[in-house]
Amino acid sequence: MTYINDPREPPEEIVEQTPARIRVVRIVNALVHAVCWIFALVLIVHILLVFGEANPGNGFAQLIDQWSRAVSLGLRNLFTPEGLKLRTLFNDGLTALLWLIIGGVVTDLVSRIGLPGPKRVWYRRPLS
């Protein structure tokens, strides 16, 4: 908010209004970004619990295990090394990385489709 003071005129308030379309795109992108990060964090917490050898009978460990199964994108048994820790690291680590990539791609697509005008402006300067 900027006020322009001119002694001859009363103060005037200048307000920049963001078009509704831009606000919607920002809200959708924020939601997609938050959901993908939450899914990735659940998978990372699951990896940490497995590496820390958490009690599988604990309610929190069971909750995280169930959530990590739900967001695993079907990659739960993609890699099958001998140890549980290595298997969890590879499978859940890859899935967490994929959630972050999916979030970035979806937010980029929403921005490209939803926002008007060119994204980049190139300027040509003379060499001096």
Side-chain angles (χ1 to χ4, degrees), residues 23-114:
R23 282 194 309 270
V24 169
V25 168
R26 286 180 182 166
I27 291 170
V28 169
N29 281 346
L31 289 173
V32 168
H33 190 75
V35 167
C36 289
W37 266 97
I38 289 170
F39 290 171
L41 285 175
V42 165
L43 291 161
I44 291 169
V45 168
H46 184 252
I47 292 169
L48 293 174
L49 290 176
V50 169
F51 266 80
E53 298 178 1
N55 177 12
N58 182 282
F60 179 73
Q62 289 177 352
L63 178 71
I64 294 295
D65 184 53
Q66 290 171 357
W67 282 5
S68 68
R69 287 179 194 276
V71 298
S72 69
L73 298 175
L75 301 175
R76 197 71 170 192
N77 294 318
L78 180 64
F79 300 107
T80 55
E82 291 297 318
L84 174 65
K85 291 180 181 180
L86 205 53
R87 187 177 326 130
T88 304
L89 176 66
F90 287 161
N91 293 325
D92 286 357
L94 175 64
T95 307
L97 184 63
L98 284 175
W99 274 116
L100 296 178
I101 292 170
I102 289 168
V105 169
V106 170
T107 55
D108 186 57
L109 286 174
V110 168
S111 294
R112 287 178 187 265
I113 293 169

Side-chain angles (χ1 to χ4, degrees), residues 5-17:
N5 293 324
D6 187 357
R8 296 168 285 167
E9 295 180 18
E12 181 179 286
E13 180 180 358
I14 299 174
V15 177
E16 179 183 355
Q17 293 184 352

